[in-house]
Amino acid sequence: MSPSSTRIGVLALQGSFSEHMKSLTQLGVDAVEVRLPDQLATLDGLVIPGGESTTILKLIDEYGLREPLRRAITLGLPVLGTCAGVICLATHVTSHSMDLLNLLHISVARNGFGRQVDSFEEDLSISALPGPVYRGVFIRAPVIESSNDGVEVLARLANGTIVACRQNNILATCFHPEFVEDLRVHAYFLDMVTQYVCTRDAHD
Ligand code: GLN
């Protein structure tokens, strides 16, 4: 499958969707803004961007996307959630009362790095990415406080805090790969998409 025939949707309700569109376009895939449930069936992968998780979840409900999204991701559609996107995908949030998508078996605390240090950068070793360290940009980021079996931890801060993980077709980063020039997180996600598409099309 050539990259240009790969169609990745970016949930474009609020937040950093245009930055994700740019990163994906640089990698040569067909990136499309997604707002309507009917669009999901046309996708090979989906990104839920950073932003405000309360706003994104509210708009997911207003646009009638909650069950279609849950169904598509449960059936295997690869999804990359970044920052607020991680919160949306999670099964538990300890800091607030929220109706999450309830798919990724982690427990998160919103704004878990506190007010004083609510934005920072740190070089990360991400186990799935070969090569040099990756610059993690954290903006009022959530903390992944715990994860269940079946969730692979991909990166931690120097202090041990989990900041990236994968559960089957769900990739989650508390930092913002859409705000750095380094495209390796998006490229890793596209590898997940390629594997999914090969398996899906073999069953057609
Ligand atoms: N603090 C935001 C939230 O809780 C996430 C911030 C971000 O996506 N940069 O939803």
Side-chain angles (χ1 to χ4, degrees):
M1 186 184 58
S2 67
S4 60
S5 65
T6 305
R7 193 173 164 86
I8 307 294
V10 181
L11 196 63
L13 302 175
Q14 189 267 336
S16 55
F17 56 87
S18 52
E19 288 83 357
H20 275 293
M21 298 281 294
K22 190 169 161 233
S23 302
L24 292 164
T25 304
Q26 281 178 329
L27 286 167
V29 297
D30 180 16
V32 291
E33 294 183 4
V34 169
R35 296 185 186 84
L36 301 173
D38 286 354
Q39 289 177 279
L40 295 176
T42 69
L43 303 177
D44 300 316
L46 177 74
V47 175
I48 304 182
E52 278 302 323
S53 50
T54 43
T55 307
I56 294 173
L57 285 164
K58 183 168 169 273
L59 293 172
I60 281 174
D61 285 329
E62 280 181 18
Y63 282 75
L65 280 161
R66 178 177 288 263
E67 283 318 311
L69 271 177
R70 293 194 76 260
R71 196 176 319 117
I73 297 168
T74 304
L75 288 174
L77 183 72
V79 60
L80 165 63
T82 66
C83 204
V86 178
I87 301 166
C88 294
L89 288 163
T91 50
H92 293 97
V93 57
T94 54
S95 54
H96 296 69
S97 172
M98 292 170 79
D99 199 3
L100 306 173
L101 290 179
N102 208 13
L103 293 164
L104 172 60
H105 292 263
I106 58 172
S107 184
V108 295
R110 288 181 70 197
N111 305 327
F113 294 101
R115 282 193 185 163
Q116 301 296 332
V117 278
D118 48 12
S119 297
F120 63 97
E121 297 186 11
E122 184 169 320
D123 284 336
L124 304 169
S125 293
I126 303 180
S127 54
L129 301 187
V133 288
Y134 187 93
R135 192 69 175 164
V137 175
F138 296 83
I139 303 170
R140 293 182 305 108
V143 165
I144 299 176
E145 295 185 321
S146 63
S147 60
N148 284 17
D149 291 350
V151 178
E152 182 190 359
V153 173
L154 298 179
R156 294 178 186 268
L157 296 180
N159 69 10
T161 305
I162 303 170
V163 291
C165 65
R166 177 175 172 182
Q167 176 192 296
N168 302 319
N169 55 317
I170 304 176
L171 178 63
T173 70
C174 297
F175 50 91
H176 288 275
E178 70 276 29
F179 288 152
V180 296
E181 297 292 315
D182 190 337
L183 296 173
R184 284 179 295 159
V185 168
H186 288 92
Y188 175 75
F189 176 61
L190 292 184
D191 285 345
M192 289 169 54
V193 169
T194 302
Q195 280 172 23
Y196 162 72
V197 169
C198 287
T199 312
R200 181 191 64 191
D201 293 352
H203 287 112
D204 280 351

